[in-house]
Amino acid sequence: MAIAAKPASRFTGERLGISLVFFLAGLWYASWVGRLSVIGDVFDFSSSGLGAFLACLTAGSLVGLSVAPMLIRRFSIRNLLLYLPLALAIGLLLMGLSISTFVEPILAYVVLLGSGIIFGTLDVAMNVYGGGVERRQGHSILPSLHGFFSLGTLLGAGAATATISLQWPSLWHFSVISLIIAALAVWSTTLVADETPTPAPTPVTEESWSSNAASGRYTRYTLLLLGLMVAGLSFTEGAANDWLAVATNTGHGFSHSLGALVFTLFVAAMTLGRFTGGQIVDRLGSVRALLLMGGIGLFGVALFIAGDSAWSIGMGALFWGLGSSLGFPVGMSIAASHSKHLGPRAVSIVSGFGYGAMLSGPPLIGLLGDHIGILPALWLPALVMLGSLLLTPIVGKPARREAKKVIPAAEPGP
C-alpha cells in the first residue's frame, strides 16, 4: 500500500531540521580534523602518537554508539538533537584551549574522548530520526542527509585551510565554529518533532536489502553481513579523513595549507557523491552502485599514493572521496528501515561496525606508518575496501530471498 502523503510544509521543516543536525556534525568533525597536522606539530606527535590521539575518538564513539539506543528510549529525541551538539561545541572550545593556551596533550586526549562519546550518541539519534523522515516522505533521503554531513565537513575543511593560511590560532578558529554549531542546534530544534514519530510501514521490494523481520537468526545474519560491508567501506573513508592532510605534508612533502586543501577536495567529492547518490542507487541498484563507486575509490587511493605532483595527488583525493561516498549512508538507510523496535538497535549495530572501522583504522595506519612510512601504510585501506567490495554482492542475496518470502504475504490471496 502506498504511503499517504503529508503536507509538504511538514516535510520541509522536518527535513530541514534534521539536515541542519547532520551539517553541524560534519562541521564539528572537519574543523579539528583539518588541523590534525598542526595539532601533531604542536604536541610533537609521531605517526603512532597521532594515531593514539585519534584512538580517543574511537573509544569514545564506540561507547556513545552502545548507549545511544537506551538514551533514545528514555529521552526526547528533540532534546538529544539540541544538547548533544551544544556539548560538542563546548568540547571544541576546550580542544582549542588545550592546543593554543595550555599546550597540554593530556587535556586534548580527555576532551577528544568525551567528544567521541557525544558524537557517537548523536550519530545514532540523527540517523534514527532521519530514517523516520525518509519513510514518511516515501523516497530515499538518507544519502542526501549524509550529503549535508559532508557539506559540513567541506566547509569545516575549507575553514581549516583558510585559518591555517591566515595563521589563526586553533582557539580562535574553534571559537567561531562553536558559535555556529550552537546557533544551528537551536535552529534545528524549532523544526524537528518532540519525539521520534512512529514510522510508516515501508513495502518490501526485491531491490531492497532491508529485512523487516522483527527478530531471529536471519535478521542477525543480515545485520552482521551489512555491518562488515559498511566497516570495510568506512575504514577507507576514515583513513582519508584523518591521514590525507598529514600524508600530503609528511609523505609527499607539501605544505600544511596544501594538505588541508587536498582534504577539502576529498570532502567536496564526498559531498557530491552523497547528494547524487540517491539517483545513482535508484538507477543501478544498491549493489551495482556500491561496486561502481568502490572501484572509483580504489583507483583514487592508488593515484594519491603513487602521485608525485600536486595535480595527481589532488585528483587521487577527488576519486577517493567520490568512491567512498555511498557506503555509510546506504548502510544507515538499510539499518534504519528495520521494524520500529529494531530501528535504533539496528542503526547502533551497523554504526558500531562503521564507526569502529572508520575510527580505529587511522590509529592502526599510524602505527604501521611508523614502521614502513605513511604512504605505504595507506595501501591497507585499499586492501580493506577491496574485501568489502567482494562482500557486497553476497550481502545483497539474503535480502532478496527475504523479500521474496515477505512480498507474497503482503498481497491478497487468490
Side-chain angles (χ1 to χ4, degrees), residues 207 209 229 281 284-294 330 389 391-397 400:
E207 279 298 312
W209 283 4
M229 183 204 72
V281 171
L284 299 180
S286 298
V287 174
R288 290 179 181 175
L290 286 177
L291 290 175
L292 171 64
M293 301 296 273
V330 169
L389 292 177
L391 181 63
T392 298
I394 302 174
V395 176
K397 291 179 181 179
R400 287 194 291 270

Side-chain angles (χ1 to χ4, degrees), residues 23 143-144 146-155 264-277 318 321-322 324-326:
F23 176 84
S144 70
H146 283 265
F148 276 98
F149 180 92
S150 294
L151 182 60
T153 61
L154 174 61
L155 294 183
T264 304
L265 291 174
F266 168 82
V267 174
M270 287 276 294
T271 305
L272 175 64
R274 285 176 170 173
F275 276 118
T276 60
L318 281 171
L322 189 63
S324 303
S325 61
L326 290 187

Side-chain angles (χ1 to χ4, degrees), residues 281-411:
V281 171
D282 288 343
R283 182 176 294 272
L284 299 180
S286 298
V287 174
R288 290 179 181 175
L290 286 177
L291 290 175
L292 171 64
M293 301 296 273
I296 293 172
L298 283 175
F299 173 74
V301 176
L303 182 59
F304 176 84
I305 296 171
D308 58 359
S309 66
W311 181 88
S312 59
I313 292 168
M315 290 300 297
L318 281 171
F319 287 126
W320 191 338
L322 189 63
S324 303
S325 61
L326 290 187
F328 199 81
V330 169
M332 290 301 96
S333 180
I334 298 167
S337 67
H338 280 259
S339 60
K340 181 185 175 184
H341 76 278
L342 272 182
R345 183 175 171 223
V347 170
S348 178
I349 291 170
V350 176
S351 290
F353 275 97
Y355 275 110
M358 187 183 300
L359 301 173
S360 63
L364 178 60
I365 292 170
L367 182 63
L368 189 60
D370 271 351
H371 295 283
I372 64 174
I374 190 60
L375 289 178
L378 290 178
W379 286 113
L380 177 60
L383 292 174
V384 172
M385 188 177 196
L386 177 60
S388 182
L389 292 177
L390 293 175
L391 181 63
T392 298
I394 302 174
V395 176
K397 291 179 181 179
R400 287 194 291 270
R401 288 196 297 266
E402 177 85 7
K404 289 177 182 178
K405 293 192 296 182
V406 174
I407 289 173
E411 295 182 3

Side-chain angles (χ1 to χ4, degrees), residues 79-94:
N79 288 337
L80 291 176
L81 296 178
L82 171 63
Y83 294 119
L84 292 173
L86 291 178
L88 286 179
I90 294 171
L92 196 58
L93 282 173
L94 293 175

Side-chain angles (χ1 to χ4, degrees), residues 188-269:
S188 70
T189 54
T190 67
L191 301 171
V192 300
D194 279 336
E195 297 179 353
T196 306
T198 303
T202 303
V204 179
T205 66
E206 296 212 18
E207 279 298 312
S208 172
W209 283 4
S210 61
S211 166
N212 288 318
S215 60
R217 185 186 314 169
Y218 192 86
T219 298
R220 291 193 295 270
Y221 175 71
T222 303
L223 285 176
L224 174 62
L225 290 179
L226 176 61
L228 290 173
M229 183 204 72
V230 170
L233 297 174
S234 298
F235 185 96
T236 309
E237 178 185 345
N241 282 334
D242 291 339
W243 287 108
L244 268 181
V246 176
T248 301
N249 174 242
T250 62
H252 286 295
F254 290 102
S255 66
H256 288 305
S257 58
L258 184 62
L261 177 60
V262 167
F263 175 61
T264 304
L265 291 174
F266 168 82
V267 174

Side-chain angles (χ1 to χ4, degrees), residues 27-108:
L27 180 63
W28 170 83
Y29 183 76
S31 294
W32 65 269
V33 168
R35 280 185 168 261
L36 268 180
S37 60
V38 175
I39 295 171
D41 281 354
V42 169
F43 294 138
D44 195 25
F45 284 147
S46 64
S47 292
S48 58
L50 192 57
F53 177 68
L54 295 171
C56 292
L57 180 69
T58 303
S61 296
L62 292 177
V63 172
L65 292 170
S66 65
V67 302
M70 175 190 67
L71 294 176
I72 290 172
R73 289 192 300 268
R74 294 172 67 95
F75 299 102
S76 164
I77 200 164
R78 182 173 181 268
N79 288 337
L80 291 176
L81 296 178
L82 171 63
Y83 294 119
L84 292 173
L86 291 178
L88 286 179
I90 294 171
L92 196 58
L93 282 173
L94 293 175
M95 179 71 74
L97 286 171
S98 70
I99 298 167
S100 299
T101 303
F102 302 117
V103 194
E104 179 51 67
I106 298 300
L107 177 59

Side-chain angles (χ1 to χ4, degrees), residues 18 22 125-137 141-142 145 199 202 332-333 336-337 347:
I18 193 61
F22 274 84
M126 67 189 189
N127 275 288
V128 168
Y129 190 88
V133 176
E134 180 177 74
R135 289 188 294 278
R136 289 189 294 281
Q137 289 206 356
I141 68 165
L142 266 174
L145 290 180
T202 303
M332 290 301 96
S333 180
S337 67
V347 170

